[in-house]
Amino acid sequence: MKIYNKYIAAIALSLCLIGCKAPMATVIKDEVKENLPQNFNQDEQQDANANSGTTPWRQFFTDPNLVSLIETALKNNQELLITLQEIEIAKSGVLAKKGKLTPTVSAGIGAGLKKAGRYTSEGAGDATTEIEPGKEMPDPLGNFEGGLMANWEIDIWKKLRTEKEAAVAHYLSTVEGKNFVLSNLIEEVADNYYELLALDNQLDIIQQYIKLQERALEISKIQKQAAAATELAVKKFEAELAKSKAAEYTIRQDITEKENQINALLGRYPQPIVRTKESFMSTMPQTVYTGIPSQLLANRPDIKQAELELKAAKLDVQAARKEFYPSLEISATLGLEAFKPSYLVKMPESIAYNLAGELAGPLINKSAIKANFQTADAKQIQSLYEYDKTILHAYLDVANLMSKVKNIDQYYQMKSQETKALDQSIDIANQLFRNSRADYLEVLLNQRDALDAKMELIEAKQKQLSTVVDIYKSLGGGWK
């Protein structure tokens, strides 16, 4: 017995030594996170307590029509609904890994028939065996059984717990992924809504310009009759009028497509988008407070998602490394077994049970385990790069948009001044044309310049509002 125990101890020791030869994972260091700047603009100090990214979206957006569109999108958007199912899949993965920590118990019944050869040790033994005095062993021999079976892998290296923790981290990353989809969805709806309002205002401008061209055409015809202008001037005004009417149809098509783009985000078939275009040009963009860069790590869902995926990848490496260690499995059965159904109720003769433990570890041909470990190690490094890339892009997004907010404001002011000056020049040119003191080219050029300036002013207002939405999303806002 002592020799038997020594053999068991020697086998266990050899298996442990095999496990000790498991390869080491690559040690990774997150330098991008450690070197994150203290401020977005090194020349300015930001207030850490003022961060627009923490503002709930219902407080950030004040247009009731836009708020209603966002609420509809959050209920019906297909991409968001797909993401919610990804969360359910990840949740099931956690339950599956958790289930491996507990014994597997199953119940079963079975029946069989066996005939051993007479000139075998089993057949010869059965032929000389009596079940009861004077009653020989049946031939062929039936077998009827039923009972419970259990299997349990003892988590001696915490491999199963590590796998469960990795599944939990992946599940939490899908939740953050859903938050990122929310943030992107709100940004898309708001940007498209402002673009639609800009198109509405551009349509109004082109219609005003058409009326202006029609009046200019009438004046040129009158002047031609009075010999104060030529047929060339009339044709030039007719061509400009046709060009403006063609531009009107282009804008109308753009409006239709933009409405349908919003409807697609809202997960519904084409229908009119409720909006108020009159107050668009007077809408003042929200004041945005950026806080400090380190707050991006806590506010932006994509960064938190990448961080959790990195955590899951690290845990996957640990679990893959523990595959080199021996595993301990315990199996047990308890039930009733007899060669005849009527004997199953005879106790305790029909009771059968089995209990076994097995300690086994990989010894030869570990290429599959090594490949699995190397794959997990490579994915860990890949996840680190993804995390670093996400942080870097988030910082650059905010820094670029902060600069864009300032520059687009200045651009809008300059365009406003240009528009006012050109409106005045149109009145002057038209007056001079009526009095034959200016030719038609001066009138046309002034009208074209004024139209272009007004169109660009509307685009500047749209970019002004959309940039604020973009920086709000880049700061981590929109999903709360």
Side-chain angles (χ1 to χ4, degrees):
M1 188 68 180
K2 291 181 179 180
I3 296 176
Y4 178 77
N5 291 335
K6 288 181 180 180
Y7 282 134
I8 294 296
I11 293 172
L13 180 60
S14 63
L15 289 173
C16 290
L17 291 174
I18 292 169
C20 292
K21 293 182 180 180
M24 298 299 295
T26 303
V27 178
I28 58 177
K29 187 177 181 181
D30 192 1
E31 295 182 357
V32 173
K33 179 180 177 181
E34 293 176 358
N35 297 326
L36 189 65
Q38 297 296 318
N39 297 287
F40 290 107
N41 189 332
Q42 301 303 320
D43 299 328
E44 299 178 8
Q45 296 293 322
Q46 282 89 30
D47 184 4
N49 296 320
N51 191 320
S52 297
T54 59
T55 304
W57 68 266
R58 283 185 175 84
Q59 297 178 17
F60 187 82
F61 298 105
T62 56
D63 187 331
N65 293 323
L66 176 56
V67 170
S68 177
L69 292 174
I70 293 174
E71 288 176 343
T72 303
L74 296 182
K75 294 178 183 176
N76 301 332
N77 181 262
Q78 280 82 13
E79 184 178 354
L80 180 58
L81 295 176
I82 292 170
T83 305
L84 293 177
Q85 294 310 307
E86 291 178 358
I87 293 176
E88 293 300 318
I89 293 171
K91 187 187 296 183
S92 299
V94 174
L95 294 176
K97 296 298 182 182
K98 185 179 179 181
K100 288 186 176 182
L101 290 168
T102 55
T104 301
V105 180
S106 58
I109 57 175
L113 185 67
K114 181 179 180 182
K115 184 182 186 313
R118 177 66 180 80
Y119 300 109
T120 63
S121 59
E122 183 180 355
D126 289 347
T128 58
T129 301
E130 294 184 344
I131 298 299
E132 294 178 356
K135 192 170 185 180
E136 296 181 351
M137 181 76 72
D139 187 26
L141 183 65
N143 185 61
F144 300 89
E145 59 182 353
L148 301 175
M149 294 154 282
N151 285 284
W152 187 18
E153 181 179 350
I154 307 299
D155 196 18
I156 53 178
W157 310 111
K158 296 186 178 180
K159 181 190 72 173
L160 300 179
R161 288 182 177 86
T162 302
E163 291 178 349
K164 189 196 80 170
E165 290 174 8
V168 170
H170 178 66
Y171 162 72
L172 294 175
S173 77
T174 60
V175 174
E176 295 299 338
K178 181 264 297 182
N179 293 336
F180 189 58
V181 171
L182 280 175
S183 185
N184 282 334
L185 177 60
I186 291 172
E187 179 196 31
E188 283 190 74
V189 173
D191 283 346
N192 282 282
Y193 178 75
Y194 290 137
E195 289 175 14
L196 180 59
L197 292 179
L199 288 171
D200 288 338
N201 281 263
Q202 287 181 337
L203 181 61
D204 289 343
I205 292 296
I206 200 70
Q207 289 173 341
Q208 294 171 16
Y209 185 66
I210 288 172
K211 292 179 180 179
L212 185 65
Q213 286 298 309
E214 289 173 341
R215 288 197 297 268
L217 177 61
E218 290 300 322
I219 293 171
S220 68
K221 289 180 179 178
I222 293 172
Q223 287 190 334
K224 179 194 172 186
Q225 292 174 356
T230 64
E231 180 68 15
L232 179 60
V234 175
K235 294 302 179 184
K236 283 289 186 181
F237 280 115
E238 285 180 350
E240 190 69 16
L241 179 60
K243 179 182 177 182
S244 300
K245 289 183 177 179
E248 178 185 4
Y249 290 113
T250 299
I251 294 176
R252 288 186 182 277
Q253 179 61 28
D254 291 341
I255 289 175
T256 299
E257 292 179 3
K258 187 59 63 176
E259 283 187 316
N260 289 339
Q261 190 172 352
I262 294 175
N263 282 316
L265 291 172
L266 271 56
R268 66 189 189 187
Y269 287 107
Q271 57 183 275
I273 301 297
V274 179
R275 67 223 188 237
T276 304
K277 64 181 180 180
E278 289 76 17
S279 61
F280 175 71
M281 294 304 294
S282 61
T283 302
M284 297 301 296
Q286 290 269 23
T287 302
V288 178
Y289 302 98
T290 59
I292 57 178
S294 60
Q295 292 175 326
L296 292 174
L297 305 178
N299 292 343
R300 279 190 57 137
D302 58 333
I303 293 180
K304 292 194 285 185
Q305 180 185 18
E307 183 179 16
L308 287 165
E309 286 294 344
L310 176 59
K311 179 181 178 181
K314 290 179 178 179
L315 291 169
D316 285 338
V317 173
Q318 294 179 24
R321 187 172 185 270
K322 291 172 182 177
E323 290 289 346
F324 290 92
Y325 300 163
S327 60
L328 175 61
E329 292 190 8
I330 296 177
S331 59
T333 59
L334 175 63
L336 303 175
E337 186 176 16
F339 64 85
K340 191 176 181 180
S342 59
Y343 287 167
L344 288 173
V345 295
K346 289 189 175 183
M347 303 290 183
E349 289 84 354
S350 62
I351 295 177
Y353 61 85
N354 177 54
L355 179 64
E358 181 181 15
L359 183 66
L363 185 61
I364 300 175
N365 192 12
K366 297 186 286 186
S367 58
I369 300 176
K370 289 180 180 178
N372 183 49
F373 172 78
Q374 291 170 356
T375 300
D377 193 44
K379 287 183 177 180
Q380 172 193 219
I381 299 172
Q382 185 183 51
S383 297
L384 174 64
Y385 293 151
E386 287 288 343
Y387 181 51
D388 289 345
K389 183 182 75 172
T390 305
I391 294 176
L392 182 60
H393 285 186
Y395 178 88
L396 293 175
D397 281 347
V398 176
N400 290 336
L401 289 170
M402 284 175 61
S403 175
K404 188 176 180 180
V405 166
K406 295 178 181 178
N407 291 326
I408 199 69
D409 287 345
Q410 295 296 322
Y411 177 81
Y412 181 80
Q413 292 177 16
M414 294 299 103
K415 280 296 175 182
S416 296
Q417 295 178 18
E418 180 187 1
T419 302
K420 291 178 182 178
L422 287 172
D423 280 341
Q424 294 172 358
S425 70
I426 286 178
D427 294 336
I428 295 171
N430 286 335
Q431 186 65 35
L432 292 173
F433 183 65
R434 292 190 191 98
N435 296 327
S436 299
R437 297 179 61 187
D439 61 21
Y440 65 91
L441 288 176
E442 293 180 271
V443 176
L444 282 175
L445 290 174
N446 275 281
Q447 289 176 348
R448 287 177 183 176
D449 290 343
L451 174 65
D452 291 341
K454 288 180 179 178
M455 291 294 196
E456 290 171 357
L457 181 64
I458 293 172
E459 289 179 0
K461 172 58 71 174
Q462 178 263 315
K463 289 180 180 178
Q464 196 180 42
L465 296 172
S466 293
T467 301
V468 170
V469 174
D470 294 344
I471 195 171
Y472 172 64
K473 175 252 181 182
S474 295
L475 291 169
W479 59 272
K480 295 182 180 180

Short mmCIF file of all heavy atoms in Angstrom, two decimals, residues 307-355:
data_model
loop_
_atom_site.label_atom_id
_atom_site.label_comp_id
_atom_site.label_asym_id
_atom_site.label_seq_id
_atom_site.Cartn_x
_atom_site.Cartn_y
_atom_site.Cartn_z
N GLU A 307 -10.85 48.97 -23.11
CA GLU A 307 -10.17 48.60 -21.86
C GLU A 307 -10.66 47.25 -21.35
O GLU A 307 -9.87 46.42 -20.90
CB GLU A 307 -10.40 49.69 -20.81
CG GLU A 307 -9.68 49.45 -19.50
CD GLU A 307 -9.92 50.55 -18.49
OE1 GLU A 307 -10.86 51.34 -18.68
OE2 GLU A 307 -9.16 50.62 -17.50
N LEU A 308 -11.96 47.03 -21.42
CA LEU A 308 -12.52 45.75 -20.97
C LEU A 308 -12.12 44.61 -21.89
O LEU A 308 -11.89 43.49 -21.44
CB LEU A 308 -14.05 45.86 -20.89
CG LEU A 308 -14.57 46.70 -19.71
CD1 LEU A 308 -16.03 47.07 -19.90
CD2 LEU A 308 -14.37 45.96 -18.39
N GLU A 309 -12.03 44.88 -23.19
CA GLU A 309 -11.56 43.85 -24.11
C GLU A 309 -10.10 43.50 -23.84
O GLU A 309 -9.70 42.33 -23.97
CB GLU A 309 -11.74 44.32 -25.56
CG GLU A 309 -13.18 44.31 -26.06
CD GLU A 309 -13.75 42.91 -26.15
OE1 GLU A 309 -12.99 41.92 -26.12
OE2 GLU A 309 -15.00 42.80 -26.22
N LEU A 310 -9.31 44.50 -23.46
CA LEU A 310 -7.92 44.25 -23.08
C LEU A 310 -7.85 43.39 -21.82
O LEU A 310 -7.05 42.45 -21.74
CB LEU A 310 -7.19 45.57 -22.87
CG LEU A 310 -5.74 45.48 -22.37
CD1 LEU A 310 -4.88 44.68 -23.34
CD2 LEU A 310 -5.17 46.88 -22.15
N LYS A 311 -8.72 43.69 -20.87
CA LYS A 311 -8.78 42.89 -19.64
C LYS A 311 -9.17 41.44 -19.96
O LYS A 311 -8.57 40.49 -19.44
CB LYS A 311 -9.77 43.50 -18.66
CG LYS A 311 -9.92 42.73 -17.36
CD LYS A 311 -10.95 43.38 -16.45
CE LYS A 311 -11.13 42.57 -15.16
NZ LYS A 311 -12.16 43.18 -14.27
N ALA A 312 -10.18 41.28 -20.82
CA ALA A 312 -10.61 39.93 -21.21
C ALA A 312 -9.49 39.19 -21.92
O ALA A 312 -9.30 37.99 -21.70
CB ALA A 312 -11.85 40.02 -22.10
N ALA A 313 -8.74 39.89 -22.77
CA ALA A 313 -7.63 39.25 -23.50
C ALA A 313 -6.54 38.79 -22.54
O ALA A 313 -5.96 37.71 -22.71
CB ALA A 313 -7.07 40.22 -24.53
N LYS A 314 -6.25 39.59 -21.52
CA LYS A 314 -5.24 39.21 -20.53
C LYS A 314 -5.69 37.96 -19.77
O LYS A 314 -4.89 37.05 -19.50
CB LYS A 314 -4.99 40.35 -19.56
CG LYS A 314 -4.26 41.54 -20.17
CD LYS A 314 -4.07 42.65 -19.13
CE LYS A 314 -3.31 43.83 -19.69
NZ LYS A 314 -3.15 44.92 -18.71
N LEU A 315 -6.97 37.91 -19.43
CA LEU A 315 -7.49 36.75 -18.71
C LEU A 315 -7.49 35.50 -19.61
O LEU A 315 -7.25 34.39 -19.14
CB LEU A 315 -8.90 37.04 -18.20
CG LEU A 315 -8.99 38.09 -17.08
CD1 LEU A 315 -10.43 38.50 -16.84
CD2 LEU A 315 -8.38 37.54 -15.79
N ASP A 316 -7.76 35.71 -20.89
CA ASP A 316 -7.71 34.59 -21.83
C ASP A 316 -6.31 34.00 -21.91
O ASP A 316 -6.14 32.78 -22.03
CB ASP A 316 -8.16 35.04 -23.23
CG ASP A 316 -9.66 35.23 -23.32
OD1 ASP A 316 -10.39 34.64 -22.50
OD2 ASP A 316 -10.11 35.98 -24.21
N VAL A 317 -5.30 34.85 -21.83
CA VAL A 317 -3.91 34.36 -21.84
C VAL A 317 -3.64 33.52 -20.60
O VAL A 317 -3.03 32.45 -20.66
CB VAL A 317 -2.92 35.54 -21.92
CG1 VAL A 317 -1.48 35.05 -21.76
CG2 VAL A 317 -3.06 36.25 -23.25
N GLN A 318 -4.11 34.01 -19.45
CA GLN A 318 -3.92 33.25 -18.21
C GLN A 318 -4.60 31.89 -18.30
O GLN A 318 -4.03 30.86 -17.89
CB GLN A 318 -4.48 34.05 -17.03
CG GLN A 318 -3.74 35.34 -16.74
CD GLN A 318 -4.35 36.09 -15.56
OE1 GLN A 318 -5.00 35.50 -14.70
NE2 GLN A 318 -4.15 37.40 -15.53
N ALA A 319 -5.83 31.88 -18.81
CA ALA A 319 -6.55 30.61 -18.93
C ALA A 319 -5.85 29.68 -19.92
O ALA A 319 -5.76 28.47 -19.67
CB ALA A 319 -7.99 30.87 -19.37
N ALA A 320 -5.35 30.22 -21.02
CA ALA A 320 -4.66 29.39 -22.01
C ALA A 320 -3.37 28.82 -21.43
O ALA A 320 -2.99 27.68 -21.74
CB ALA A 320 -4.37 30.22 -23.27
N ARG A 321 -2.69 29.58 -20.60
CA ARG A 321 -1.46 29.09 -19.96
C ARG A 321 -1.75 27.95 -19.00
O ARG A 321 -0.97 27.00 -18.87
CB ARG A 321 -0.77 30.23 -19.23
CG ARG A 321 0.61 29.86 -18.68
CD ARG A 321 1.32 31.10 -18.13
NE ARG A 321 2.67 30.76 -17.72
CZ ARG A 321 3.02 30.34 -16.50
NH1 ARG A 321 2.07 30.22 -15.56
NH2 ARG A 321 4.27 30.04 -16.21
N LYS A 322 -2.88 28.02 -18.33
CA LYS A 322 -3.23 26.98 -17.36
C LYS A 322 -3.67 25.68 -18.02
O LYS A 322 -3.85 24.67 -17.33
CB LYS A 322 -4.33 27.51 -16.43
CG LYS A 322 -3.83 28.61 -15.50
CD LYS A 322 -4.94 29.27 -14.71
CE LYS A 322 -4.39 30.39 -13.84
NZ LYS A 322 -5.44 31.13 -13.10
N GLU A 323 -3.84 25.71 -19.34
CA GLU A 323 -4.14 24.46 -20.06
C GLU A 323 -2.94 23.51 -20.02
O GLU A 323 -3.09 22.32 -20.22
CB GLU A 323 -4.51 24.76 -21.52
CG GLU A 323 -5.84 25.44 -21.71
CD GLU A 323 -7.01 24.53 -21.44
OE1 GLU A 323 -6.79 23.29 -21.35
OE2 GLU A 323 -8.14 25.04 -21.29
N PHE A 324 -1.74 24.04 -19.77
CA PHE A 324 -0.55 23.19 -19.66
C PHE A 324 -0.52 22.43 -18.33
O PHE A 324 0.21 21.47 -18.19
CB PHE A 324 0.72 24.05 -19.77
CG PHE A 324 0.96 24.61 -21.15
CD1 PHE A 324 0.49 25.86 -21.51
CD2 PHE A 324 1.65 23.86 -22.10
CE1 PHE A 324 0.71 26.39 -22.77
CE2 PHE A 324 1.88 24.38 -23.37
CZ PHE A 324 1.41 25.64 -23.71
N TYR A 325 -1.30 22.88 -17.36
CA TYR A 325 -1.31 22.24 -16.05
C TYR A 325 -2.21 21.01 -16.06
O TYR A 325 -3.16 20.93 -16.85
CB TYR A 325 -1.81 23.21 -14.97
CG TYR A 325 -0.98 24.46 -14.82
CD1 TYR A 325 -1.50 25.57 -14.16
CD2 TYR A 325 0.32 24.55 -15.32
CE1 TYR A 325 -0.76 26.73 -14.00
CE2 TYR A 325 1.06 25.70 -15.17
CZ TYR A 325 0.53 26.79 -14.52
OH TYR A 325 1.26 27.94 -14.38
N PRO A 326 -1.94 20.05 -15.19
CA PRO A 326 -2.83 18.87 -15.11
C PRO A 326 -4.20 19.26 -14.57
O PRO A 326 -4.34 20.21 -13.80
CB PRO A 326 -2.09 17.95 -14.14
CG PRO A 326 -1.20 18.83 -13.34
CD PRO A 326 -0.79 19.94 -14.26
N SER A 327 -5.20 18.53 -15.01
CA SER A 327 -6.57 18.77 -14.55
C SER A 327 -7.06 17.58 -13.74
O SER A 327 -6.67 16.43 -13.97
CB SER A 327 -7.50 18.99 -15.75
OG SER A 327 -7.50 17.85 -16.59
N LEU A 328 -7.91 17.88 -12.76
CA LEU A 328 -8.47 16.85 -11.88
C LEU A 328 -9.96 16.76 -12.11
O LEU A 328 -10.68 17.76 -11.94
CB LEU A 328 -8.18 17.19 -10.42
CG LEU A 328 -8.80 16.26 -9.37
CD1 LEU A 328 -8.30 14.83 -9.54
CD2 LEU A 328 -8.52 16.77 -7.95
N GLU A 329 -10.42 15.60 -12.53
CA GLU A 329 -11.84 15.37 -12.78
C GLU A 329 -12.35 14.25 -11.90
O GLU A 329 -11.68 13.24 -11.73
CB GLU A 329 -12.09 15.04 -14.26
CG GLU A 329 -11.83 16.20 -15.19
CD GLU A 329 -12.32 15.90 -16.60
OE1 GLU A 329 -12.98 14.85 -16.79
OE2 GLU A 329 -12.03 16.70 -17.50
N ILE A 330 -13.53 14.44 -11.35
CA ILE A 330 -14.20 13.43 -10.52
C ILE A 330 -15.50 13.04 -11.20
O ILE A 330 -16.27 13.90 -11.62
CB ILE A 330 -14.48 13.97 -9.10
CG1 ILE A 330 -13.16 14.28 -8.39
CG2 ILE A 330 -15.30 12.98 -8.30
CD1 ILE A 330 -13.34 14.90 -7.02
N SER A 331 -15.70 11.74 -11.32
CA SER A 331 -16.94 11.24 -11.92
C SER A 331 -17.57 10.25 -10.96
O SER A 331 -16.88 9.51 -10.24
CB SER A 331 -16.66 10.57 -13.28
OG SER A 331 -15.76 9.49 -13.13
N ALA A 332 -18.89 10.24 -10.95
CA ALA A 332 -19.62 9.35 -10.03
C ALA A 332 -20.94 8.94 -10.67
O ALA A 332 -21.54 9.71 -11.43
CB ALA A 332 -19.87 10.05 -8.70
N THR A 333 -21.37 7.72 -10.36
CA THR A 333 -22.67 7.23 -10.80
C THR A 333 -23.36 6.55 -9.64
O THR A 333 -22.71 5.92 -8.79
CB THR A 333 -22.55 6.24 -11.97
OG1 THR A 333 -21.74 5.12 -11.56
CG2 THR A 333 -21.96 6.89 -13.19
N LEU A 334 -24.66 6.65 -9.58
CA LEU A 334 -25.46 6.00 -8.53
C LEU A 334 -26.80 5.62 -9.15
O LEU A 334 -27.49 6.48 -9.71
CB LEU A 334 -25.67 6.94 -7.35
CG LEU A 334 -26.59 6.42 -6.24
CD1 LEU A 334 -26.01 5.16 -5.59
CD2 LEU A 334 -26.83 7.50 -5.19
N GLY A 335 -27.14 4.31 -9.05
CA GLY A 335 -28.42 3.91 -9.62
C GLY A 335 -28.72 2.45 -9.34
O GLY A 335 -28.16 1.84 -8.41
N LEU A 336 -29.59 1.91 -10.16
CA LEU A 336 -30.02 0.51 -10.03
C LEU A 336 -29.63 -0.23 -11.30
O LEU A 336 -29.75 0.30 -12.41
CB LEU A 336 -31.54 0.44 -9.83
CG LEU A 336 -32.10 1.21 -8.61
CD1 LEU A 336 -33.61 1.15 -8.62
CD2 LEU A 336 -31.53 0.65 -7.31
N GLU A 337 -29.16 -1.48 -11.12
CA GLU A 337 -28.73 -2.26 -12.28
C GLU A 337 -29.04 -3.74 -12.03
O GLU A 337 -28.75 -4.24 -10.94
CB GLU A 337 -27.24 -2.05 -12.55
CG GLU A 337 -26.75 -2.73 -13.82
CD GLU A 337 -25.29 -2.42 -14.08
OE1 GLU A 337 -24.59 -1.94 -13.16
OE2 GLU A 337 -24.84 -2.65 -15.22
N ALA A 338 -29.61 -4.40 -13.02
CA ALA A 338 -29.92 -5.83 -12.90
C ALA A 338 -30.11 -6.40 -14.30
O ALA A 338 -30.34 -5.66 -15.26
CB ALA A 338 -31.19 -6.04 -12.07
N PHE A 339 -30.03 -7.76 -14.39
CA PHE A 339 -30.17 -8.37 -15.70
C PHE A 339 -31.63 -8.63 -16.06
O PHE A 339 -31.95 -9.06 -17.17
CB PHE A 339 -29.38 -9.70 -15.78
CG PHE A 339 -29.87 -10.77 -14.85
CD1 PHE A 339 -30.93 -11.60 -15.21
CD2 PHE A 339 -29.28 -10.95 -13.61
CE1 PHE A 339 -31.37 -12.61 -14.37
CE2 PHE A 339 -29.72 -11.94 -12.77
CZ PHE A 339 -30.77 -12.78 -13.12
N LYS A 340 -32.53 -8.35 -15.06
CA LYS A 340 -33.95 -8.56 -15.29
C LYS A 340 -34.72 -7.42 -14.63
O LYS A 340 -34.41 -7.06 -13.49
CB LYS A 340 -34.36 -9.92 -14.69
CG LYS A 340 -35.76 -10.37 -15.08
CD LYS A 340 -36.01 -11.76 -14.51
CE LYS A 340 -37.39 -12.27 -14.91
NZ LYS A 340 -37.67 -13.61 -14.37
N PRO A 341 -35.68 -6.80 -15.32
CA PRO A 341 -36.37 -5.64 -14.75
C PRO A 341 -36.99 -5.90 -13.38
O PRO A 341 -36.99 -5.02 -12.52
CB PRO A 341 -37.46 -5.33 -15.80
CG PRO A 341 -36.92 -5.88 -17.07
CD PRO A 341 -36.14 -7.08 -16.69
N SER A 342 -37.47 -7.10 -13.14
CA SER A 342 -38.12 -7.37 -11.85
C SER A 342 -37.12 -7.35 -10.69
O SER A 342 -37.49 -7.14 -9.53
CB SER A 342 -38.84 -8.72 -11.89
OG SER A 342 -37.92 -9.76 -12.18
N TYR A 343 -35.83 -7.53 -10.99
CA TYR A 343 -34.81 -7.53 -9.94
C TYR A 343 -34.37 -6.11 -9.55
O TYR A 343 -33.64 -5.93 -8.58
CB TYR A 343 -33.58 -8.32 -10.39
CG TYR A 343 -33.79 -9.82 -10.41
CD1 TYR A 343 -32.86 -10.66 -11.03
CD2 TYR A 343 -34.90 -10.42 -9.80
CE1 TYR A 343 -33.03 -12.03 -11.05
CE2 TYR A 343 -35.08 -11.77 -9.82
CZ TYR A 343 -34.16 -12.58 -10.44
OH TYR A 343 -34.34 -13.94 -10.45
N LEU A 344 -34.81 -5.11 -10.35
CA LEU A 344 -34.37 -3.73 -10.05
C LEU A 344 -34.90 -3.25 -8.70
O LEU A 344 -34.30 -2.37 -8.07
CB LEU A 344 -34.85 -2.77 -11.16
CG LEU A 344 -34.12 -2.90 -12.51
CD1 LEU A 344 -34.81 -2.02 -13.55
CD2 LEU A 344 -32.65 -2.50 -12.37
N VAL A 345 -36.02 -3.79 -8.27
CA VAL A 345 -36.62 -3.34 -7.01
C VAL A 345 -36.06 -4.08 -5.80
O VAL A 345 -36.43 -3.79 -4.67
CB VAL A 345 -38.16 -3.50 -7.06
CG1 VAL A 345 -38.75 -2.59 -8.13
CG2 VAL A 345 -38.55 -4.96 -7.32
N LYS A 346 -35.19 -5.05 -6.05
CA LYS A 346 -34.59 -5.77 -4.93
C LYS A 346 -33.42 -4.98 -4.38
O LYS A 346 -32.43 -4.74 -5.08
CB LYS A 346 -34.14 -7.17 -5.37
CG LYS A 346 -35.28 -8.12 -5.66
CD LYS A 346 -34.78 -9.54 -5.87
CE LYS A 346 -35.93 -10.51 -6.03
NZ LYS A 346 -35.45 -11.91 -6.15
N MET A 347 -33.57 -4.56 -3.13
CA MET A 347 -32.54 -3.75 -2.47
C MET A 347 -31.86 -4.58 -1.38
O MET A 347 -32.54 -5.35 -0.69
CB MET A 347 -33.16 -2.49 -1.86
CG MET A 347 -33.92 -1.62 -2.84
SD MET A 347 -32.83 -0.79 -4.00
CE MET A 347 -34.02 0.18 -4.92
N PRO A 348 -30.59 -4.40 -1.14
CA PRO A 348 -29.66 -3.47 -1.83
C PRO A 348 -28.93 -4.14 -2.98
O PRO A 348 -27.97 -3.57 -3.50
CB PRO A 348 -28.70 -3.11 -0.72
CG PRO A 348 -28.60 -4.38 0.10
CD PRO A 348 -29.96 -5.02 0.05
N GLU A 349 -29.39 -5.38 -3.38
CA GLU A 349 -28.63 -6.11 -4.39
C GLU A 349 -28.53 -5.37 -5.73
O GLU A 349 -27.54 -5.49 -6.45
CB GLU A 349 -29.26 -7.49 -4.62
CG GLU A 349 -29.09 -8.47 -3.46
CD GLU A 349 -30.16 -8.28 -2.39
OE1 GLU A 349 -30.95 -7.31 -2.52
OE2 GLU A 349 -30.21 -9.08 -1.45
N SER A 350 -29.57 -4.60 -6.10
CA SER A 350 -29.58 -3.93 -7.41
C SER A 350 -28.89 -2.57 -7.38
O SER A 350 -28.74 -1.94 -8.43
CB SER A 350 -31.03 -3.78 -7.89
OG SER A 350 -31.75 -2.94 -7.00
N ILE A 351 -28.52 -2.11 -6.22
CA ILE A 351 -27.85 -0.79 -6.14
C ILE A 351 -26.44 -0.89 -6.71
O ILE A 351 -25.68 -1.80 -6.38
CB ILE A 351 -27.81 -0.30 -4.68
CG1 ILE A 351 -29.23 -0.04 -4.16
CG2 ILE A 351 -26.97 0.99 -4.59
CD1 ILE A 351 -29.28 0.39 -2.71
N ALA A 352 -26.13 0.08 -7.60
CA ALA A 352 -24.79 0.13 -8.20
C ALA A 352 -24.27 1.56 -8.10
O ALA A 352 -25.02 2.53 -8.26
CB ALA A 352 -24.85 -0.31 -9.67
N TYR A 353 -23.01 1.69 -7.82
CA TYR A 353 -22.41 3.03 -7.78
C TYR A 353 -20.96 2.94 -8.20
O TYR A 353 -20.33 1.88 -8.21
CB TYR A 353 -22.54 3.65 -6.40
CG TYR A 353 -21.86 2.89 -5.28
CD1 TYR A 353 -20.50 3.08 -5.01
CD2 TYR A 353 -22.58 1.99 -4.49
CE1 TYR A 353 -19.88 2.39 -3.98
CE2 TYR A 353 -21.97 1.30 -3.47
CZ TYR A 353 -20.62 1.50 -3.20
OH TYR A 353 -20.00 0.81 -2.20
N ASN A 354 -20.46 4.12 -8.58
CA ASN A 354 -19.07 4.21 -9.03
C ASN A 354 -18.53 5.59 -8.69
O ASN A 354 -19.24 6.60 -8.84
CB ASN A 354 -18.99 3.98 -10.55
CG ASN A 354 -17.57 4.14 -11.07
OD1 ASN A 354 -16.65 3.50 -10.57
ND2 ASN A 354 -17.40 5.00 -12.06
N LEU A 355 -17.33 5.67 -8.22
CA LEU A 355 -16.68 6.94 -7.89
C LEU A 355 -15.23 6.84 -8.35
O LEU A 355 -14.52 5.90 -7.99
CB LEU A 355 -16.74 7.21 -6.39
CG LEU A 355 -16.06 8.50 -5.92
CD1 LEU A 355 -16.77 9.72 -6.51
CD2 LEU A 355 -16.06 8.58 -4.38
#
